[in-house]
Amino acid sequence: MPERKEKFYLTTPIYYTNGLPHIGHTYTTVVCDTVRRYKRMRGYDVVMTTGTDEHGVNVERAAKKAGIPESEFVANMAEAWRSLWDELGIAADEFVRTTDIKHVRAVQWLFKLCKENGYVYKGHYTGQYCIHDNAFVNDAKPGENCPDCGRPLETLTEENYFFKLSAFQKPLLDFYRKNPEFIQPEGRKNEIVSFVESGLKDLSITRTTIRWGIPVPGEEPHVFYVWFDALTAYLSAVGGPDYEKRGMWPADVHFVGKDIIRFHTVYWPAFLMAAMLPLPKQVWAHGWFLMDAAKMSKSKGNVVLPRPIANMLGMDALRYFMLREVVFGQDGNFSYDSLVTRYNSDLANGLGNLASRTAALIEKNFAGKVPKSAERQPQDDALAREAQAAIGEVLERLDKMEFARALEAIWSVIAAADKYLTSEQPWALGASEADQARKGTILWTTAELLRIVSALAHPVLPDSTAKVWALLGQTTSLDSLELDGLRWGQLVPGTPLGKSQTLFPRVEKTEAIERIESMANEELNSASAVPKPASALATPATPAATPAVPEKIGIEDFAKVEMRVGQIKTAERIVGADKLLKLTVDIGTEIRQICAGIAQYYEPESLIGRKVVVVVNLAPRKLRGVESNGMVVAASVGPEGRPVIAGFLEDVEVGARLK
Ligand code: ME8
């Protein structure tokens, strides 16, 4: 073991805050937590990061729907995610919120580095945009639907800062070649390599169409594109600009689902290359958990929630099922039926039964103390060899993220021990000295096997293996056990057993499924169950009213309204008037004070510098005691009439008249 512990830094994606975790998110997080525990048991200094991705249009909309400011909405959601992970026994070392000031600074710092190094420029972009995924869809045509989520795309033009992604085609391909383990699993690597080989277009990394985002310093109303913002969370969690002090960056592995592999293996390394920062060592993209052969997602409303499963069967059962049932990297189907079947066969009848049988026999025959292993017979040694071999195999499998194979190896040893007990029949032996000695050997052997199994399975089943560990009278913490020192033969005879307890009570399948489903329905229907389908977050359409035929006006009427380009210089809230902002606006010939009813939708700071349309010949009036000399033009959107300030796609001169 090295003097100074080697570091290991691993991350889950930071999840969107417009819903709560379903078992898809739980899967990635459980995998990450398993590796975190495993690496710690291999002597590494480990940091695991998870968190919440809190910016973007979806959050803006969801907050509006909830009728609260975005900051309050995301604070509630972040707390809900954090406490659910706690409740499920998944304790990450770092929880990043993208609204944290340290994260905001890190994003601005990364942008500055990319810009200073010449990889950022200003331009205009018109494209087809998926509001749900917060992404422009390259090559899509107007009227098409998003290829990822199937929702209609919207045509959008805006002034953006662009990132010169095109400059990184060769560096990325070289990087993949020199680091063949960077993209995992192998199959996904080919997909990414051909994507990069087919040519990379520059990427817009700021937005002016989104308000709820991290401001680009000195460039308001530009805010950062959510992916530039979100990916930086991995770095801000471990020090941001001061990452060298913490010594954790670069990440050793980013665990993600296959849906976001491109962001992690193309954009993210390119941003880091541009900033001349170290690159993560590996991105592991797993498959999807499917429900009825469809990807589980909030929008489809086919989500499975982790809490009801944990309540009914224990979190260890869910962890075991997810890692045992699906080959890591591939898609897997979720069904309550196979979950409960595995629970009963592998956990209740397998590990649980072996532990309780062994403990009960030691209790009865050796007054609750671990017996001595006397003269050994070939079948005892065969089992010992099998268990010893499993240590090597399991470590090797876990190193390669082959969770299902690792668990298979552990459970095959459990099955061998079961068979051994059944054929040796210690309960049928008498009270003679020889029989007692034989009983001792058999029970020491199964107890020792259980000790090894608990240590090996601990990263996956932290709770129940700690119970077996305590049952075997082990007083050290299993979390800090070093797997490298684990050997057959370390169980000390005479150790008093701990208190016996049922680890996995058998359940009746139909009843268990009914209970899980009813708890899930309750959770989904309760006010706190945030995984509402995204469609439910959209503003409901107003019932179609008979359109009033507008009276036509002549051009001379229109000419009476004088509209000019104005630029907002200052903006502040008005005490006692929740809806109003007091603005000073440069209209070319003078600076006007104008009140605008937009305070619930725009942060004053976000408006500074923005070019707007001003009706300049409106008679002055007082609003809440404050004089308003003109009007800022805005669209009235949705049934609540949300104001959206009118602006320009091209730069226009202040004072120019609108005709
Ligand atoms: O994409 N099966 O967040 P997100 C397996 N905020 N895994 C699943 C899954 C399923 N059915 N559904 C979700 C985002 N996941 C961004 C990430 S990172 C800088 C920003 C898991 O809330 C899987 O890990 O949509 C997937 O990649 C992630 O949740 C997406 O979470």
Side-chain angles (χ1 to χ4, degrees), residues 325-345:
E325 191 80 0
V326 179
V327 173
F328 190 58
Q330 296 175 12
D331 289 347
N333 209 49
F334 184 90
S335 88
Y336 286 126
D337 197 287
S338 26
L339 167 73
V340 179
T341 303
R342 275 231 178 263
Y343 171 86
N344 276 334
S345 68

Side-chain angles (χ1 to χ4, degrees), residues 247-261:
M248 279 292 159
W249 189 258
D252 291 271
V253 53
H254 293 310
F255 286 110
V256 297
K258 65 180 182 182
D259 47 335
I260 55 176
I261 187 171

